[in-house]
Amino acid sequence: MKLTLRPLPGQRLADQLQQAGVEFPCGGEGVCGGCRVRVVEGDIPVTEAMRQQLSGQELRDGWRLACCAHASAPVTVEVEQWAVRVLADEAEVPVEPRPGWGAAVDVGTTTVAAQLVNLETGEVEGIETALNAQARFGADVMSRIQFELRRPGLLGPAIREQTAAMLARLAQGRPLREVVLAGNTAMHHLFCGLDVAPLAAVPFLSPDTGVQTMDAGAVPWRAPTVFLPCLGGFVGSDLLAGLAATRLDKKRNTHVLFDIGTNGEIVCASRSAIRCASTAAGPAFEGGRIRCGMRASDGAVDAVRIEDGRLVPHVIGGGPPRGICGSGLVDAAARALDLGLLLPNGRLARGDIVLGEGVFLAQSDIRQLQLAKGAMAAGLKMMARGARRLCLAGAFGNYLHLPGARRIGLLPEDVEVQAAGNAALRGARLFLLCPSSREERIGAILSAAEHVELAADPRFEDVFAESMALEPFRLG
């Protein structure tokens, strides 16, 4: 996909690309080469980090790393990340060529991402991302469920109308042949107009977690539509799609797909078994309930380093900080621990953690972080013992800086961790491109999956309390 960027002075190209939905597996640190872009028009100077990650020929061909790229004038780039990854995995998930266009949509709690796909070639011809229009009704899934119960009938139309507008801009008058959507259980129910009451109380199990199909006449984009089924409980079709995309259920040893967000979803998979669970974390990792919290956009602190014994924040887009996003929250806590400004029990040693004029972390913010990371870590400790690899799904997992996450005990020290990008969107695209094998593939995953209700386990409260400490942990 080609994008024309008009950067502001001092602004990294990565900051604009993030807003366009491009994922950065290394968190923008120039260490993995996962944010390659090719200069089509204009000039992006070569940096030392680029020389370390790219060959001389690649540099001469115009390839650059977006995470450390700057330009002084408008530049058009080709984004390698949106090249057709499905074609590289044809042996397991072959593209079934058919004429026309389709769309894959990831309906997230915070953001919605849609791709226009050429069904003949599998190419992604366009992408749209936006904040979920439901956000004004509640920051997390539980608040939206409660809103829907109080005032039914508003949330479903809001997200469907937003999706229709996004698809119309992508299609530009071209008829869509099919649309495939993935999302967590709450988004699945709200989008499809299903009763959310079962999701509002223990045991949080709904009878309507299966695949939902909508005829062309029932949706404004006038195309047959499939919302993929959930794995169980609050483990949604975003994780099912992610599992298909990463093929973890084809591995000999156990691997984990972990989506960190307002609702942490965990899938432990191998060829022999699939176990899944969810744990409610709240919106702290997306800036919610944090006094200076904000989403990852211009002005947000997204990383923190130590320089001359003090905390130095990195700000998206440059300039002074306006707030702090989830990855910055984790990094700030980790570096504050290193400096003794924060104790492992969560107590602030010397007052607020200051990151800039008017931007700080108070004691109440640290407590929100402890509650969120405690829920996530507890879920991993109870589900992922013996895992060989941890794959992080979703945007937050992609932007998260691994050293900080391990330092505060959000992620384990002894397991290999890698970013899976937007695995839900990629999985939805895989299912879109393979209609004849879709039902069989989904059926195989669902028949092997076991949903574990962590809250019903008498050990969970103790493990959760233990996991609130801001200290490293191991799964081995």
Side-chain angles (χ1 to χ4, degrees), residues 289-291 329 360-369:
R289 297 179 189 163
I290 303 300
R291 194 171 303 186
L329 173 66
F360 60 92
L361 293 177
Q363 186 67 68
S364 61
D365 301 323
I366 298 300
R367 180 47 57 96
Q368 289 297 322
L369 171 63

Side-chain angles (χ1 to χ4, degrees), residues 78-204:
E78 179 180 284
V79 183
E80 184 186 64
Q81 187 160 11
W82 296 121
V84 188
R85 295 183 180 274
V86 64
L87 298 178
D89 197 26
E90 281 192 46
E92 279 66 36
V93 190
V95 177
E96 300 170 10
R98 47 181 172 154
W101 293 269
V105 185
D106 172 26
V107 185
T109 306
T110 305
T111 58
V112 181
Q115 289 179 336
L116 178 71
V117 182
N118 184 317
L119 299 179
E120 187 73 41
T121 65
E123 287 190 43
V124 176
E125 296 196 355
I127 183 167
E128 278 247 352
T129 62
L131 292 177
N132 190 317
Q134 296 175 338
R136 65 184 184 273
F137 301 112
D140 54 49
V141 293
M142 292 310 297
S143 61
R144 289 188 207 170
I145 288 170
Q146 293 301 324
F147 184 93
E148 175 70 10
L149 293 175
R150 292 193 308 270
R151 299 182 61 186
L154 293 178
L155 292 176
I159 187 60
R160 290 192 296 272
E161 289 169 9
Q162 179 181 29
T163 302
M166 294 174 73
L167 294 179
R169 288 191 293 270
L170 283 171
Q172 296 182 344
R174 290 169 288 191
L176 296 176
R177 182 163 180 171
E178 187 178 26
V179 175
V180 175
L181 305 103
N184 62 48
T185 306
M187 295 303 102
H188 169 275
H189 278 49
L190 291 169
F191 192 101
C192 300
L194 303 172
D195 182 15
V196 298
L199 301 177
V202 176
F204 306 108

Side-chain angles (χ1 to χ4, degrees), residues 270-281:
S270 68
R271 287 192 303 222
S272 58
I274 301 173
R275 299 173 72 240
C276 61
S278 64
T279 178

Side-chain angles (χ1 to χ4, degrees), residues 61-394:
D61 289 343
W63 290 102
R64 302 290 187 266
L65 299 184
C67 68
C68 52
H70 292 81
S72 58
V75 60
T76 299
V77 297
E78 179 180 284
V79 183
E80 184 186 64
Q81 187 160 11
W82 296 121
V84 188
R85 295 183 180 274
V86 64
L87 298 178
D89 197 26
E90 281 192 46
E92 279 66 36
V93 190
V95 177
E96 300 170 10
R98 47 181 172 154
W101 293 269
V105 185
D106 172 26
V107 185
T109 306
T110 305
T111 58
V112 181
Q115 289 179 336
L116 178 71
V117 182
N118 184 317
L119 299 179
E120 187 73 41
T121 65
E123 287 190 43
V124 176
E125 296 196 355
I127 183 167
E128 278 247 352
T129 62
L131 292 177
N132 190 317
Q134 296 175 338
R136 65 184 184 273
F137 301 112
D140 54 49
V141 293
M142 292 310 297
S143 61
R144 289 188 207 170
I145 288 170
Q146 293 301 324
F147 184 93
E148 175 70 10
L149 293 175
R150 292 193 308 270
R151 299 182 61 186
L154 293 178
L155 292 176
I159 187 60
R160 290 192 296 272
E161 289 169 9
Q162 179 181 29
T163 302
M166 294 174 73
L167 294 179
R169 288 191 293 270
L170 283 171
Q172 296 182 344
R174 290 169 288 191
L176 296 176
R177 182 163 180 171
E178 187 178 26
V179 175
V180 175
L181 305 103
N184 62 48
T185 306
M187 295 303 102
H188 169 275
H189 278 49
L190 291 169
F191 192 101
C192 300
L194 303 172
D195 182 15
V196 298
L199 301 177
V202 176
F204 306 108
L205 299 176
S206 169
D208 299 317
T209 57
V211 62
Q212 300 294 314
T213 58
M214 291 158 264
D215 294 333
V219 289
W221 45 90
R222 313 296 293 179
T225 298
V226 175
F227 206 120
L228 298 171
C230 305
L231 280 174
F234 270 103
V235 185
S237 58
D238 50 351
L239 268 289
L240 179 139
L243 191 60
T246 57
R247 300 177 59 249
L248 298 188
D249 59 321
K250 304 294 185 181
K251 305 292 185 183
R252 187 164 64 91
N253 298 309
T254 299
H255 290 59
V256 179
L257 185 63
F258 188 31
D259 191 345
I260 306 173
T262 58
N263 182 57
E265 297 170 81
I266 305 166
V267 178
C268 302
S270 68
R271 287 192 303 222
S272 58
I274 301 173
R275 299 173 72 240
C276 61
S278 64
T279 178
F285 292 130
E286 294 173 1
R289 297 179 189 163
I290 303 300
R291 194 171 303 186
C292 297
M294 63 180 291
R295 67 184 184 90
S297 60
D298 284 356
V301 173
D302 67 338
V304 179
R305 70 180 190 276
I306 296 175
E307 190 174 289
D308 297 329
R310 61 188 182 90
L311 299 177
V312 178
H314 175 268
V315 181
I316 297 175
R322 296 192 296 113
I324 182 167
C325 66
S327 61
L329 173 66
V330 171
D331 244 24
R335 302 290 77 83
L337 285 167
D338 292 340
L339 291 178
L341 302 175
L342 177 62
L343 304 179
N345 64 6
R347 289 278 188 181
L348 291 173
R350 307 173 202 170
D352 296 340
I353 300 171
V354 179
L355 299 172
E357 186 176 352
V359 178
F360 60 92
L361 293 177
Q363 186 67 68
S364 61
D365 301 323
I366 298 300
R367 180 47 57 96
Q368 289 297 322
L369 171 63
Q370 287 182 278
L371 290 170
K373 92 94 192 173
M376 298 293 177
L380 286 176
K381 290 175 182 178
M382 295 184 67
M383 291 288 295
R385 296 287 182 187
R388 295 293 182 90
R389 178 177 294 171
L390 189 63
C391 298
L392 300 181

